Amino acid sequence: MTSAEPDRPDDRRTLVEDGTWYTVDHPSAVGSVRRGASTAARNLGLDDERAAEVGLVVSELATNQCRHAGGGSVLVRVRRTGAEAALDVLAVDAGPGMRDITAAMRDGVSSRGTLGIGLGTLPRLASAWDAWTSPGQGTVIAATFVAHGATADLAAPTGVTRPMTGQDVCGDALAVRHDDGAPSLLVADGLGHGPLAAVASGAAVRAFLDAPPGSAVALLERVHGALGGTRGAAVSVVQASGGVLRHAGLGNIAGTVHGARSRGLVSHPGIAGTRGRPLRETTYPVEPGDVVVLHSDGLTARWSLADYPGLAVRSPLVVAGVLLRDHAVRRDDSCVAVLPIPREAA
């Protein structure tokens, strides 16, 4: 899939690829994760030295999962914004967690008396990183890698997808665009599973990214019209600007604004790509620090950011990783996407 090139610096289009999820359930799995990450880095155009650094960080993340959490999983994926691309790594476990992850990032620190050089590679070699952990609630660590000298950002809206057990491709997808600096986020859930569902959600992403600037409902209308030749999808679009969140949804994509008080977003029955009632948009006041979450029905609806102390201020990739870890169901494709409300958008 391709995205439109940005016309101006604040008119960005971001495509998030599915990537590969690696299960880390034995020390023998570490080598596979390291090789996969290094290969992905080279395929992205990073030089051999940078690819080796990516492999080292991923190897240490996976090793720490085996040693301290009893296992976990690691996602390696590409995130493209215009002509630029970054390699994202997300390490997720449900182990004992840590009281002071900052201390664990210092070389020489270990909770088991070992040399403790593992997590220290992360702040030294990653272009950007973030993490959330809490005693008894596991650990989620995100890192992004670009070429030396380039800048990387983990603060922008994003999310994660994961195919259902037994499938190689995910029928859920997400994408992000900025118009005059205002972010818009799309989540699409192609009907069913597998390649045909992925075709529908991919068509939704392309239509969303290629559409001219417009309101949330205008973007949804473009997606709706583009899915006519597919099996269809549930689709939601949110857009933040001027202290207002605009939302247009069709089908069972759940949306929530988390802040001083949490409130759900209204999505209307239907399937994008099939005839139905006219599309509508609803608006909600938002404030700096609010967090907007969209997710497909591959996640259960019974969760709250209040159950995770400090999570709401972490990066969108970390927030999405925690929610996917704890609330996704393996019998369905899953997608969760996060749009934080920054000061310039409120």
Side-chain angles (χ1 to χ4, degrees):
M1 293 182 290
T2 59
S3 63
E5 291 294 328
D7 295 324
R8 296 185 299 276
D10 61 350
D11 287 348
R12 291 164 281 151
R13 307 287 187 266
T14 301
L15 175 65
V16 179
E17 298 183 1
D18 287 342
T20 302
W21 283 94
Y22 295 89
T23 299
V24 182
D25 54 4
H26 189 271
S28 62
V30 174
S32 176
V33 182
R34 181 187 68 250
R35 289 188 295 271
S38 297
T39 298
R42 285 191 291 269
N43 291 341
L44 193 60
L46 299 180
D47 61 29
D48 288 344
E49 178 184 2
R50 193 65 173 133
E53 291 174 346
V54 171
L56 176 60
V57 172
V58 170
S59 177
E60 297 296 358
L61 289 171
T63 298
N64 272 277
Q65 287 182 338
C66 287
R67 288 179 178 173
H68 306 299
S73 57
V74 177
L75 169 67
V76 179
R77 64 101 183 273
V78 173
R79 180 166 40 99
R80 301 183 185 276
T81 302
E84 300 177 351
L87 188 72
D88 288 335
V89 172
L90 184 68
V92 177
D93 72 63
M98 290 177 269
R99 292 189 180 277
D100 187 354
I101 194 168
T102 302
M105 295 296 170
R106 294 196 295 267
D107 286 341
V109 174
S110 172
S111 61
R112 288 196 175 183
T114 57
L115 187 58
I117 61 174
L119 291 181
T121 64
L122 182 62
R124 287 191 289 107
L125 299 180
S127 302
W129 69 275
D130 189 35
W132 180 86
T133 185
S134 183
Q137 292 187 292
T139 302
V140 173
I141 300 175
T144 191
F145 298 87
V146 295
H148 286 301
T151 59
D153 180 19
L154 276 173
T158 192
V160 289
T161 61
R162 188 179 68 190
M164 70 177 291
T165 301
Q167 291 287 343
D168 295 325
V169 297
C170 185
D172 295 355
L174 68 110
V176 181
R177 59 182 285 163
H178 289 75
D179 297 291
D180 291 330
S184 298
L185 171 68
L186 167 137
V187 167
D189 178 359
L191 294 189
H193 315 291
L196 292 180
V199 167
S201 61
V205 165
R206 289 192 296 274
F208 172 75
L209 294 177
D210 293 339
S215 63
V217 71
L219 294 172
L220 180 60
E221 286 172 348
R222 288 293 293 253
V223 172
H224 184 49
L227 265 58
T230 73
R231 61 169 55 181
V235 179
S236 279
V237 176
V238 290
Q239 183 181 86
S241 179
V244 174
L245 182 78
R246 292 173 170 80
H247 173 251
L250 194 58
N252 55 352
I253 303 294
T256 313
V257 178
H258 297 268
R261 66 183 182 89
S262 296
R263 50 210 186 274
L265 307 181
V266 176
S267 187
H268 300 285
I271 301 170
T274 63
R275 291 190 177 187
R277 64 185 67 185
L279 303 180
R280 289 179 287 176
E281 181 179 278
T282 51
T283 60
Y284 307 83
V286 289
E287 299 178 355
D290 286 353
V291 178
V292 182
V293 178
L294 296 179
H295 66 80
S296 68
D297 62 354
L299 271 73
T300 62
R302 295 183 178 180
W303 58 266
S304 171
L305 288 187
D307 295 333
Y308 302 93
L311 180 60
V313 299
R314 305 319 313 167
S315 65
L317 186 53
V318 166
V319 175
V322 172
L323 296 180
L324 187 82
R325 180 196 67 182
D326 290 354
H327 303 286
V329 295
R330 297 313 301 255
R331 63 181 182 275
D332 198 358
D333 296 324
S334 303
C335 175
V336 54
V338 180
L339 187 154
I341 303 300
R343 295 191 180 277
E344 61 268 23

